[in-house]
Amino acid sequence: MYWLSALILILMFAAVSIALIAIPYLTRRTVSFGISVSEEMYYSEPLRRMRRSYAWVTGIIQFLLLAGLAVILFVMNEQALNYALPFYSVLLIASIMLIQRIFYTRMKRYKALQPAVPPAKDRRVIDTSFRQQRLVYPNKWFLIHLVIIAASFLLTWKYYDQAPDTIAMKYSMSGKVIRSVDKSYTAMFFPNIMQVFMLILFFAVNRSIYNNKQQLSPDKAEASVQQNVIFRRKWSMFTLMTGLVMILLFSLIQLSMFQHIRPEVLMPTVLIFPAFILISALIISIQTGQGGSRIGPRPETPGTDVVQDDANWKLGNMYFNAKDPSLFVEKRMGVGWTLNMARPLAWLIFLAPFAIIILIISFLAP
């Protein structure tokens, strides 16, 4: 089953690569490589060429990285993969940061050469009834997740004595056990701790989708309200489903501790869960675009208004605005939301995942 695990892994990274290539086509039509522009400028020929150039450069680099990973996966032994995966991840992050930095600088220079927009054109639109609509799915749907966690806990409690004295903690790509620990309550119930953490996390994400800043287009306010509502509902559903899939994944891992599941079947199955999440995120991103910008027909006459807030975005990616009470705002590169780093709570949210990862590594370390 090694080839199947390797194939699923390649599929996961391919989904990430496609999303990275498509970034400038998924952002709002009022943003180009992290710089605010008018829709008229977004559809201009120079920016079309810039987007095509970005896609080609990113596509070639992503193809080379994926091809190198595939060679290691299918030609070299599994031990090489332990070094190849972290190396691939570092190259992936470094390359995309460098490419986006280059195109951000090019875009900034290009805009500086264009005629300045009169200050009177800088206007915002707010719909005061926006939050009276159903923007996200109710949090009561998380009760399903809670029931699964409770069932997994009770099942493990009931069959604790039947679990083997040694618990497998890590498998190779071919399904061989490469690390195990003595049976203990900590080892057996650690998946439940992770499930509770993820339940809280996804609950908070669903709330943040509802609460995050309203961003409407001045030129087509009514249409952009509907786009934004659909956008939030789709990502709310994605959050609910992703949370469910992750909790089921940990239930499966916990089940394998006291019920024999063939390792060569377990490993590909475990990889299918994150692959499903990544591919689903890619499909929704392409369907909706940032803020719902790809929903509905393209405007016959592109707008000319420009939101003059580039000073609040550092390198086009990091939002820092002490005057804005919003904690979450829409990303400028990519689809989804980012933090207002001028808020102290944002730093706590930003650092929390790193603390959790350190906790997990500490737990799993021999």
Side-chain angles (χ1 to χ4, degrees):
M1 287 291 175
Y2 174 80
W3 66 270
L4 182 56
S5 298
L7 196 61
I8 296 172
L9 198 62
I10 291 291
L11 191 64
M12 287 166 54
F13 284 116
V16 173
S17 298
I18 293 171
L20 293 174
I21 294 167
I23 279 178
Y25 297 95
L26 302 179
T27 57
R28 282 179 176 272
R29 270 57 169 169
T30 51
V31 175
S32 181
F33 298 106
I35 300 291
S36 57
V37 297
S38 65
E39 286 191 1
E40 191 178 39
M41 185 185 291
Y42 179 89
Y43 289 114
S44 66
E45 187 53 31
L47 294 200
R48 289 177 190 269
R49 284 200 302 271
M50 203 179 292
R51 288 194 289 274
R52 285 197 295 268
S53 175
Y54 169 92
W56 272 106
V57 171
T58 308
I60 290 170
I61 292 176
Q62 291 299 314
F63 174 79
L64 292 174
L65 287 174
L66 270 178
L69 183 64
V71 169
I72 292 171
L73 278 171
F74 291 105
V75 177
M76 300 178 72
N77 58 44
E78 283 194 60
Q79 288 186 337
L81 194 61
N82 294 331
Y83 304 98
L85 271 181
F87 189 58
Y88 171 85
S89 301
V90 170
L91 283 180
L92 177 69
I93 295 170
S95 63
I96 199 63
M97 287 179 67
L98 179 62
I99 294 170
Q100 289 189 353
R101 180 75 175 88
I102 291 171
F103 278 86
Y104 166 78
T105 304
R106 284 178 58 182
M107 186 62 225
K108 192 175 181 181
R109 288 175 182 164
Y110 175 80
K111 185 181 176 182
L113 296 174
Q114 305 308 305
V117 177
K121 287 283 186 180
D122 185 10
R123 56 193 176 97
R124 309 285 178 95
V125 174
I126 295 176
D127 182 353
T128 54
S129 63
F130 183 69
R131 298 193 189 282
Q132 295 174 9
Q133 305 177 66
R134 194 185 73 176
L135 300 178
V136 298
Y137 288 89
N139 284 320
K140 66 182 180 183
W141 285 104
F142 284 109
L143 288 174
I144 297 173
H145 306 56
L146 194 59
V147 168
I148 293 172
I149 295 172
S152 299
F153 176 83
L154 293 174
L155 208 59
T156 306
W157 185 269
K158 180 178 180 181
Y159 291 101
Y160 180 84
D161 292 337
Q162 296 183 23
D165 294 334
T166 303
I167 306 296
M169 299 297 289
K170 188 176 180 182
Y171 292 88
S172 68
M173 290 281 290
S174 56
K176 294 179 182 176
V177 179
I178 55 178
R179 197 176 79 80
S180 56
V181 298
D182 294 337
K183 182 174 75 173
S184 67
Y185 286 107
T186 306
M188 291 288 287
F189 291 104
F190 184 73
N192 296 129
I193 296 172
M194 292 305 302
Q195 286 176 319
V196 171
F197 166 73
M198 284 187 289
L199 180 63
I200 296 171
L201 176 67
F202 286 107
F203 181 89
V205 170
N206 200 43
R207 290 300 304 168
S208 72
I209 292 174
Y210 175 83
N211 289 323
N212 85 78
K213 187 177 179 179
Q214 181 187 154
Q215 292 179 236
L216 305 179
S217 170
D219 289 326
K220 45 176 184 174
E222 189 174 341
S224 65
V225 166
Q226 294 307 312
Q227 288 176 331
N228 206 268
V229 169
I230 296 171
F231 175 73
R232 293 185 193 224
R233 284 181 190 167
K234 280 184 176 287
W235 282 104
S236 174
M237 174 58 75
F238 175 78
T239 301
L240 285 167
M241 294 306 298
T242 301
L244 185 62
V245 167
M246 291 303 295
I247 284 171
L248 285 172
L249 172 62
F250 275 89
S251 290
L252 176 66
I253 293 171
Q254 193 172 33
L255 179 67
S256 70
M257 292 178 175
F258 55 88
Q259 288 291 321
H260 178 68
I261 301 176
R262 291 171 58 192
E264 61 270 26
V265 174
L266 179 63
M267 191 62 193
T269 306
V270 166
L271 285 173
I272 285 174
F273 285 80
F276 168 79
I277 293 171
L278 286 172
I279 293 171
S280 299
L282 175 64
I283 292 172
I284 296 175
S285 298
I286 293 173
Q287 281 181 340
T288 64
Q290 178 62 303
S293 57
R294 294 175 65 88
I295 298 171
R298 179 180 150 186
E300 294 180 4
T301 306
T304 55
D305 276 358
V306 181
V307 178
Q308 305 286 9
D309 63 347
D310 288 346
N312 298 324
W313 290 88
K314 310 306 175 189
L315 300 178
N317 259 326
M318 181 179 286
Y319 186 66
F320 195 96
N321 185 1
K323 295 180 181 178
D324 188 347
S326 304
L327 183 60
F328 291 93
V329 295
E330 288 183 8
K331 287 181 183 176
R332 282 206 159 185
M333 292 192 189
V335 176
W337 294 269
T338 188
L339 291 160
N340 179 2
M341 302 309 287
R343 300 280 303 276
L345 181 58
W347 286 97
L348 185 64
I349 296 171
F350 177 74
L351 294 173
F354 296 99
I356 297 298
I357 290 171
I358 292 172
L359 178 67
I360 294 173
I361 292 174
S362 302
F363 174 79
L364 295 176

